[in-house]
Amino acid sequence: MPVKIRLQRHGKKGKPYYWIVAADARSKRDGKYLEKLGAYNPNTNPATVELNVDGAVKWLQNGAQPTDTAKNLLSYKGALLKNHLAGGVKKGALTEEQAEEKFNAWLEEKVAKVQAKADGLSDAEAKAKADTLAAEKAVNEARIAAAAPVVEETEEAEVEASNEEE
């Protein structure tokens, strides 16, 4: 029974939400699966990926083949790196502690990158909001300035007319 790690689509039309599952390659896309490994939500920015890394590594070591998109998600969360390091431990190139240390260092770096992107997006959103507010204020001030001289001109014209009559 060939096993694939792939995405199973959920959610409504235009708002996809995926489960990352280990499933028999012959089963339907949204059909029966062997184990749910996580979830992927592409609707958020940055995309939200929840993954049971240890479960994914177990399936990879048992011969499961990830699809292209699932492979990208496993790589994003570090499951492929952990599988690679586990292979190094089996061969004797690393100790378990060294492998865990390398994985944790990579994980901290990855979390920092994702957090920096999220902060950059929120800063950009705040800047765009401030620019919009400034432009709106400028338009309102221009409207007020355009309306004010019209009132003053009519008052000046009335004053001049009353002066001519006298």
Side-chain angles (χ1 to χ4, degrees), residues 91-149:
K91 292 178 182 176
L94 297 168
T95 64
E96 187 70 38
E97 293 79 28
Q98 288 173 330
E100 194 64 33
E101 185 179 311
K102 283 185 176 189
F103 180 72
N104 288 334
W106 178 87
L107 204 56
E108 289 173 10
E109 184 181 322
K110 184 69 172 181
V111 167
K113 282 183 187 177
V114 171
Q115 188 61 39
K117 181 178 180 183
D119 292 344
L121 289 171
S122 63
D123 290 346
E125 186 177 316
K127 185 180 182 302
K129 202 174 210 180
D131 291 346
T132 304
L133 183 61
E136 200 171 303
K137 280 184 180 178
V139 168
N140 285 344
E141 289 172 1
R143 228 183 256 147
I144 290 169

Side-chain angles (χ1 to χ4, degrees), residues 5-11 17-22 29-31 33 35-41 50 70 73:
I5 297 176
R6 64 183 183 198
L7 300 181
Q8 193 177 64
R9 187 170 202 242
H10 294 274
Y17 185 85
Y18 298 96
W19 286 357
I20 303 168
V21 298
R29 177 192 73 177
D30 298 339
Y33 59 90
E35 184 181 351
K36 180 180 173 186
L37 301 173
Y40 166 56
N41 185 1
E50 300 161 10
L73 294 174

Side-chain angles (χ1 to χ4, degrees), residues 2 82 93 119 165:
K82 193 164 189 174
D119 292 344
E165 290 174 7

